[in-house]
Amino acid sequence: MVRILAVGWLAFLVILSASKSLGYGHWAWGSIERFLGGNLQMHFVMAFILSGLAHLASPGFWHRGWLLLLLVIGCALDESLQAVLPLRNFNPLDFLVTCAGLLLAALPFMVSQWRMVKSV
């Protein structure tokens, strides 16, 4: 069930980003942004939820940092793509806040994995 939620959340974020890039769905992403308190808060919350669900849905091997690295690369690609799209603009602060959300959600999983490896 958690894997379905994680994949669903990822699909939701991809669709949300694509609709914003194409100039559609302002009512959706604009409402979410206003509800969460602004653009940076939206980046943080969305990334935190994505990372938390992805870590809950994945086996322990991925908690060693590989999943976090994969998520950061995916978000970097999404943010970098915004530099070349006419309706979007690249903001490095968005990426930093996204990385903070990804890392904070991943931290408990990475610490518990490190403790298990250290105790062996």
Side-chain angles (χ1 to χ4, degrees):
M1 180 63 173
V2 177
R3 286 185 180 169
I4 294 170
L5 287 173
V7 170
W9 188 257
L10 177 62
F12 170 71
L13 293 179
V14 168
I15 290 168
L16 200 63
S17 180
S19 69
K20 189 171 183 178
S21 296
L22 296 171
Y24 296 111
H26 182 271
W27 61 271
W29 52 264
S31 297
I32 294 169
E33 190 174 304
R34 279 189 299 282
F35 175 76
L36 293 174
N39 182 50
L40 294 177
Q41 291 87 338
M42 181 179 70
H43 276 84
F44 180 84
V45 169
M46 298 291 189
F48 187 89
I49 293 170
L50 175 64
S51 183
L53 286 174
H55 279 85
L56 282 172
S58 64
F61 166 79
W62 289 98
H63 298 175
R64 295 181 185 164
W66 296 111
L67 182 58
L68 179 62
L69 180 63
L70 186 65
L71 290 171
V72 168
I73 289 170
C75 290
L77 290 172
D78 180 55
E79 286 294 329
S80 298
L81 185 61
Q82 293 177 17
V84 297
L85 295 173
L87 296 177
R88 304 292 295 270
N89 55 354
F90 174 75
N91 184 352
L93 190 55
D94 287 349
F95 179 66
L96 289 175
V97 169
T98 297
C99 286
L102 293 173
L103 178 63
L104 282 175
L107 204 54
F109 298 96
M110 293 173 66
V111 167
S112 67
Q113 184 68 25
W114 177 74
R115 282 187 169 177
M116 286 190 330
V117 169
K118 186 178 174 186
S119 68
V120 172

